[in-house]
């Protein structure tokens, strides 16, 4: 059995304080009070017959409610997360106002075994982070994307 595959776009911008990246805080009750390891590249799963690049752009639109930015896409390769999911990402230089994000939602039973289904945002907020701070909060495996972006930016 192969692991699930996910693809996403890591937006970055250059500021006077250095490179910043746009990360999303995972929505839902499991991550509500967590910071470290609860931030992610905006991404989503895709089927084997869909090109990863197309999936990354589609998922950006679904997760943030905004059209994916045009611009040179820097391939950041893939990582395997602890849950076995393979994540492929591209970096795109763009600026975006986090207040303009309209997140997609998902439904789940909450509280568990209550029979009640609630709707939660896929990403409950997005923020710009400097690379050092981003490394502290991003899903552990995805930190490799930050390192690859930093190498590219030099």
């Amino acid at each position: 059995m192969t692991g699930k595959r996910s693809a996403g776009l890591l937006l970055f911008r250059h500021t006077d304080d250095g490179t910043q990246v746009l990360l999303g805080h995972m929505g839902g009750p499991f991550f509500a009070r967590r910071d470290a390891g609860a931030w992610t590249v905006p991404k989503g799963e895709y089927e084997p017959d869909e090109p990863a690049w197309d999936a990354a752009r589609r998922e950006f639109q679904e997760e943030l409610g905004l059209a994916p930015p045009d611009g040179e896409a820097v391939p950041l390769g893939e990582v395997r997360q602890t849950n076995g999911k393979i994540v492929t990402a591209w970096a795109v230089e763009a600026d975006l106002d986090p207040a303009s994000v309209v997140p997609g939602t998902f439904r789940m039973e909450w509280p568990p075994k209550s029979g009640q289904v609630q709707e939660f945002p896929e990403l409950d907020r997005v923020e710009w982070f400097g690379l050092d701070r981003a490394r502290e909060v991003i899903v552990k495996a995805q930190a490799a994307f930050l390192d690859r972006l930093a190498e590219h930016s030099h």
Side-chain angles (χ1 to χ4, degrees):
M1 182 186 135
T2 56
K4 292 187 172 170
R5 300 188 74 88
S6 206
L9 298 180
L10 177 63
L11 264 51
F12 70 99
R13 66 184 183 185
H14 298 289
T15 70
D16 293 342
D17 298 326
T19 302
Q20 292 185 329
V21 293
L22 187 76
L23 299 179
H25 186 270
M26 290 182 268
F30 300 119
F31 298 101
R33 291 184 175 78
R34 289 182 48 194
D35 210 29
W39 292 81
T40 181
V41 171
K43 61 173 178 47
E45 291 180 9
Y46 64 99
E47 297 301 321
D49 61 348
E50 182 181 16
W53 169 246
D54 293 348
R57 292 179 57 82
R58 175 180 52 75
E59 286 294 336
F60 185 91
Q61 175 99 39
E62 286 179 14
E63 300 241 327
L64 302 184
L66 301 170
D70 293 320
E72 180 194 356
V74 179
L76 299 177
E78 55 183 39
V79 298
R80 182 183 293 273
Q81 297 184 163
T82 50
N83 62 4
K85 184 181 285 182
I86 308 265
V87 181
T88 306
W90 287 266
V92 178
E93 186 169 358
D95 204 350
L96 176 156
D97 177 2
S100 65
V101 168
V102 182
T105 58
F106 69 95
R107 299 169 68 82
M108 66 179 278
E109 184 180 9
W110 190 261
K113 299 186 175 68
S114 67
Q116 296 177 337
V117 175
Q118 293 190 43
E119 195 168 66
F120 297 97
E122 300 255 7
L123 299 173
D124 56 23
R125 61 193 187 273
V126 297
E127 287 178 30
W128 289 100
F129 290 95
L131 291 176
D132 289 342
R133 177 74 180 124
R135 278 187 191 91
E136 295 171 10
V137 298
I138 198 167
V139 172
K140 196 171 176 189
Q142 293 181 25
F145 293 144
L146 303 176
D147 297 337
R148 293 169 193 165
L149 174 62
E151 286 169 21
H152 170 80
S153 298
H154 286 300

